[in-house]
């Protein structure tokens, strides 16, 4: 379907109002049929970046967001940005980063309230929402506020709260509707004592104790934030090991920190019931017969695709049982002109990747080349933060890749001490023969920033030698890479010395592999 220029309605050619009246834009278009090259459903990172990429290709683009106050998506209003801002506020107000110098009792503020935390969040969110709106406007993208639902494969109805609707006809569609927290009926949510991650910022008070159901990224991030505030936190999860995608040593280190903040982990335990007790107490019954009593419960055991109201059947699509869409490597669904991007397509459900998917889909839809990022970083904003790129030790061991590890401990890094972090570490995994970097794993201050140095060198096919030879500013956390490189290369040279001084072996003996345990011992040296 080609959209002719002369079909562009008057309201699209006019400038956009910048006041809150913008909610009604394009005002005189309601009850009309509007024509576009691309309609984007959802204004989170995937939708925004997809819409802007298409506008840059001179396509006529509309973006639909359910609620004016939700512009910027879950990412901006209840996910990434508020949670990271709240974390920063907690670090500042609790004095956490300075306790190393000023002592365990050091606090910036003694009685921290939810209002204190909300203040910084509101400040950041408001600014970021303006940035999003400004970018959409500058790129000539029409924004609609209302619920989008398919009328047919190329037709989308946008219905606003008052019931009026407008029909958008389009050549291509980007579904970027994101996810919402899973809310099983068995959990008695009330938004104050039993709540999900979208409701945290609305709490009137910081609870004295918190039970977190679900030890995934969201549960652990919030659990540690509250524990840093002095809340007694217990995490319950059916899995025996948390954050399985991350390096085991880094996760162990994180758990050590969490426990030192008083956090308790009940792993391999399933919740079978929740009761409200007197005096605002909640009791959680575990399948093992244990009972946990707390003042509040955060339910963070999964999110479901926000596709219920899209009327996907009219477009020929069926979501899976968790509301998510299947799509191929170009982000195309079974219906080739409809693309799925961001959290609605499932793993990895990160804002960073969602943006990339938005651009990838648009390039494919409009026949543009796309050079995707092959080495994706992951960041977890726990306290301390952790970050990783490439393979971890378990994966390399399973794949029988001969690798070595170079480690830098933050206590050896001057900047680490200055930042008050002498427990962090960075480990670099590299191929023993080609010396290529295979993975970088980090825990501690600035981990989510410095990981990108490793990511860049990996993406460019660099080796450990790069880090031996390069010069970093001093003092910086980047120096970790140099220290880790020397540590790793020392291990290699040690191995060389042993090999040179070993007695010569017969041909047959040389070919006999060491038992696996013995290989592991060599690594441990
Ligand atoms: C607590 C929390 C912390 C997180 N922290 C991080 C982090 O640190 N780093 C990171 O990379 N990621 C993080 N994430 C994940 C990140 O927020 C998501 O990956 C990202 O928001 C996904 O973006 P998206 O574009 O898919 O959609 P979303 O941001 O989910 O936005 C989708 C939008 O679509 C709208 N919509 C849905 N249906 C319709 C409809 N029918 N009509 C109109 N509009 C509709 C919704 O109102 C919503 O605004 C976090 C998530 C949570 C919940």
């Amino acid at each position: 379907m080609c959209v002719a220029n002369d079909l562009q309605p008057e309201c699209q050619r006019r400038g956009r109002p910048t006041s809150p009246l913008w909610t009604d834009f394009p005002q005189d278009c309601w009850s009309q049929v509007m024509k576009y090259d691309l309609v984007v459903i959802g204004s989170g990172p995937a939708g925004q970046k997809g819409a802007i990429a298409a506008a840059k290709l001179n396509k006529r683009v509309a973006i639909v967001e359910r609620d004016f106050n939700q512009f910027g998506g879950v990412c901006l209003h209840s996910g990434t940005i508020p949670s990271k801002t709240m974390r920063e506020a907690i670090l500042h107000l609790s004095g956490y980063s300075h306790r190393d110098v000023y002592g365990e009792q050091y606090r910036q503020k003694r009685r921290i309230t939810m209002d204190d935390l909300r203040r910084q969040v509101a400040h950041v969110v408001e600014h970021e929402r303006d940035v999003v709106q400004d970018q959409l406007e500058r790129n000539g993208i029409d924004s609609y506020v209302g619920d989008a639902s398919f009328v047919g494969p190329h037709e989308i109805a946008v219905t606003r709260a008052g019931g009026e609707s407008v029909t958008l006809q389009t050549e291509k569609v980007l579904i970027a509707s994101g996810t919402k927290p899973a809310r099983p009926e068995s959990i008695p949510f009330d938004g104050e004592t039993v709540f999900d991650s979208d409701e945290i910022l609305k709490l009137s008070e910081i609870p004295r104790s918190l039970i977190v159901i679900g030890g995934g990224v969201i549960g652990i991030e919030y659990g540690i934030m509250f524990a840093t505030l002095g809340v007694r936190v217990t995490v319950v999860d059916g899995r025996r090991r948390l954050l399985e995608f991350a390096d085991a040593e880094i996760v162990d280190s994180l758990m050590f920190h969490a426990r030192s903040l008083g956090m308790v982990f009940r792993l391999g335990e399933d919740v079978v019931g929740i009761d409200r007790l007197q005096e605002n107490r909640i009791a959680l019954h575990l399948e093992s017969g244990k009972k946990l009593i707390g003042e509040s419960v955060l339910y963070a055991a999964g999110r479901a695709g926000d596709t219920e109201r899209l009327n996907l059947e009219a477009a020929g699509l069926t979501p899976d049982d968790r509301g998510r869409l299947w799509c191929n490597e170009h982000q195309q669904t079974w219906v080739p002109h409809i693309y799925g991007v961001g959290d609605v397509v499932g793993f990895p459900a990160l804002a960073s990747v969602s943006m990339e998917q938005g651009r990838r889909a648009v390039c494919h839809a409009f026949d543009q080349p796309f050079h995707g990022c092959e080495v994706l970083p992951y960041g977890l904003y726990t306290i301390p933060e952790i970050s990783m790129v490439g393979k971890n030790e378990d994966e390399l061991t399973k794949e029988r890749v001969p690798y070595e590890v170079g480690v830098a401990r933050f206590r050896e890094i001057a900047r680490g001490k200055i930042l008050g972090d002498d427990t962090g570490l960075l480990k670099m995994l590299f191929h023993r023969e080609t010396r290529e970097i295979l993975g970088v794993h980090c825990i501690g201050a600035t981990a989510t920033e410095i990981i990108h140095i490793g990511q860049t060198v990996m993406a460019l096919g660099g080796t450990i030698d790069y880090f031996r030879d390069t010069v970093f500013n001093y003092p910086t956390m980047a120096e970790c890479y140099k220290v880790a490189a020397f540590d790793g290369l020392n291990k290699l040279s040690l191995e060389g010395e042993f090999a040179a001084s070993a007695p010569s072996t017969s041909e047959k003996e040389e070919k006999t592999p060491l038992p696996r345990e013995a290989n592991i011992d060599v690594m441990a040296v």
Side-chain angles (χ1 to χ4, degrees):
M1 189 177 100
C2 181
V3 181
N5 272 339
D6 57 1
L7 285 178
Q8 187 175 13
E10 186 57 30
C11 60
Q12 287 179 15
R13 292 192 217 113
R14 288 201 312 261
R16 279 119 179 99
T18 50
S19 72
L21 280 176
W22 192 82
T23 31
D24 288 330
F25 181 78
Q27 204 161 24
D28 40 0
C29 300
W30 297 101
S31 317
Q32 291 184 37
V33 173
M34 308 288 285
K35 303 206 176 206
Y36 292 96
D37 298 317
L38 176 74
V39 169
V40 179
I41 303 174
S43 67
Q48 284 161 40
K49 301 302 171 196
I52 292 170
K56 298 276 184 218
L57 297 172
N58 290 324
K59 301 295 171 188
R60 292 178 50 211
V61 185
I63 191 164
V64 189
E65 174 51 58
R66 177 180 289 148
D67 180 351
F68 174 73
N69 294 317
Q70 195 60 25
F71 246 91
V74 166
C75 174
L76 181 51
H77 298 279
S78 51
T80 316
I81 301 294
S83 61
K84 266 74 265 185
T85 313
M86 182 166 152
R87 175 184 182 275
E88 215 53 52
I90 290 172
L91 287 177
H92 171 67
L93 295 169
S94 69
Y96 177 85
S97 325
H98 299 289
R99 289 185 197 164
D100 180 42
V101 180
Y102 301 112
E104 277 304 304
Q105 294 313 311
Y106 177 77
R107 300 283 181 281
Q108 184 72 25
K109 188 168 190 282
R110 284 275 146 204
R111 289 173 64 87
I112 300 167
T113 63
M114 278 308 295
D115 281 340
D116 292 328
L117 305 181
R118 268 190 287 266
R119 194 166 305 136
Q120 189 166 351
V121 173
H123 178 68
V124 173
V125 169
E126 204 174 305
H127 173 265
E128 289 300 301
R129 191 177 56 192
D130 286 351
V131 171
V132 171
Q133 290 180 349
D134 186 50
Q135 284 179 350
L136 295 174
E137 285 180 28
R138 270 191 286 126
N139 283 284
I141 295 161
D142 282 349
S143 302
Y144 291 83
V145 177
D147 235 312
S149 61
F150 283 93
V151 179
H154 287 276
E155 265 189 9
I156 291 159
V158 182
T159 310
R160 66 174 173 178
E164 299 135 296
S165 77
V166 59
T167 303
L168 312 181
Q169 279 182 359
T170 180
E171 189 186 347
K172 311 275 182 184
V173 184
L174 217 61
I175 302 180
S177 56
T179 54
K180 52 189 180 182
R183 287 175 69 97
E185 289 196 349
S186 55
I187 308 290
F189 290 101
D190 62 7
E192 188 59 38
T193 54
V194 182
F195 47 86
D196 64 33
S197 64
D198 279 7
E199 294 169 326
I200 282 188
L201 283 165
K202 296 175 199 145
L203 295 182
S204 55
E205 281 175 23
I206 294 172
R208 277 176 299 177
S209 62
L210 173 70
I211 302 171
V212 180
I213 304 179
V217 176
I218 295 174
I220 294 289
E221 282 188 359
Y222 274 126
I224 296 190
M225 278 188 228
F226 278 98
T228 306
L229 287 171
V231 177
R232 292 190 307 279
V233 177
T234 305
V235 176
V236 189
D237 197 294
R239 293 165 288 195
R240 295 219 156 262
R241 197 190 138 192
L242 297 182
L243 311 175
E244 275 182 329
F245 56 90
D247 182 90
E249 188 182 356
I250 300 279
V251 176
D252 284 350
S253 178
L254 179 69
M255 302 276 281
F256 174 81
H257 274 278
R259 288 194 173 104
S260 71
L261 291 169
M263 272 174 86
V264 175
F265 292 90
R266 296 283 178 205
L267 302 183
E269 300 266 20
D270 290 321
V271 178
V272 290
I274 300 189
D275 283 338
R276 285 185 187 282
L277 308 176
Q278 284 173 346
E279 294 178 18
N280 293 332
R281 290 287 183 280
I282 316 246
L284 244 74
H285 302 277
L286 306 186
E287 214 227 344
S288 61
K290 291 191 191 78
K291 197 164 155 184
L292 308 177
I293 312 267
E295 212 175 77
S296 58
V297 173
L298 163 62
Y299 187 83
R303 296 180 65 90
D306 194 351
T307 47
E308 247 170 39
R309 284 144 78 173
L310 285 173
N311 192 24
L312 288 172
E313 300 73 38
L317 287 170
T318 314
D320 71 9
D321 56 354
R322 289 177 59 191
R324 293 168 307 192
L325 291 174
W326 176 91
C327 66
N328 66 16
E329 72 275 22
H330 307 297
Q331 307 298 137
Q332 242 173 337
T333 64
W334 292 113
V335 182
H337 73 279
I338 303 180
Y339 292 75
V341 290
D343 284 13
V344 74
V345 302
F347 187 81
L350 288 171
S352 49
V353 178
S354 301
M355 298 180 201
E356 178 84 350
Q357 290 173 341
R359 288 190 212 102
R360 181 190 295 268
V362 162
C363 287
H364 188 263
F366 297 111
D367 298 322
Q368 297 296 312
F370 180 80
H371 305 288
C373 168
E374 278 164 23
V375 195
L376 289 174
Y378 292 85
L380 271 71
Y381 294 81
T382 40
I383 299 173
E385 62 195 59
I386 68 182
S387 198
M388 69 217 77
V389 63
K391 304 241 164 141
N392 62 38
E393 290 205 61
D394 285 347
E395 289 167 330
L396 293 173
T397 305
K398 214 177 278 169
E399 292 169 21
R400 295 185 164 248
V401 176
Y403 70 95
E404 192 46 272
V405 191
V407 177
R409 299 195 180 275
F410 284 16
R411 62 170 178 264
E412 304 169 76
I413 309 291
R415 189 62 183 262
K417 193 70 192 162
I418 296 169
L419 291 178
D421 184 340
D422 56 9
T423 57
L425 73 91
L426 177 136
K427 57 196 259 191
M428 202 160 28
L429 313 181
F430 62 99
H431 198 287
R432 281 224 294 261
E433 286 141 24
T434 65
R435 297 154 89 103
E436 188 191 348
I437 309 292
L438 304 170
V440 183
H441 303 267
C442 189
I443 179 165
T446 74
T448 54
E449 299 286 347
I450 61 174
I451 203 75
H452 297 119
I453 300 172
Q455 181 197 14
T456 307
V457 173
M458 280 177 74
L460 298 174
T463 65
I464 187 112
D465 304 84
Y466 169 81
F467 291 111
R468 180 196 54 205
D469 301 337
T470 195
V471 173
F472 289 113
N473 280 332
Y474 181 84
T476 56
M477 295 309 292
E479 201 204 342
C480 285
Y481 281 93
K482 203 165 174 99
V483 172
F486 278 121
D487 180 58
L489 289 169
N490 281 344
K491 287 178 186 160
L492 276 194
S493 62
L494 263 180
E495 201 180 299
E497 274 172 37
F498 286 139
S501 57
S504 62
T505 47
S506 72
E507 188 75 18
K508 188 168 168 247
E509 281 168 335
E510 266 176 22
K511 283 185 183 158
T512 310
L514 283 168
R516 290 197 70 198
E517 291 75 9
N519 269 326
I520 289 164
D521 282 349
V522 170
M523 293 258 346
V525 172

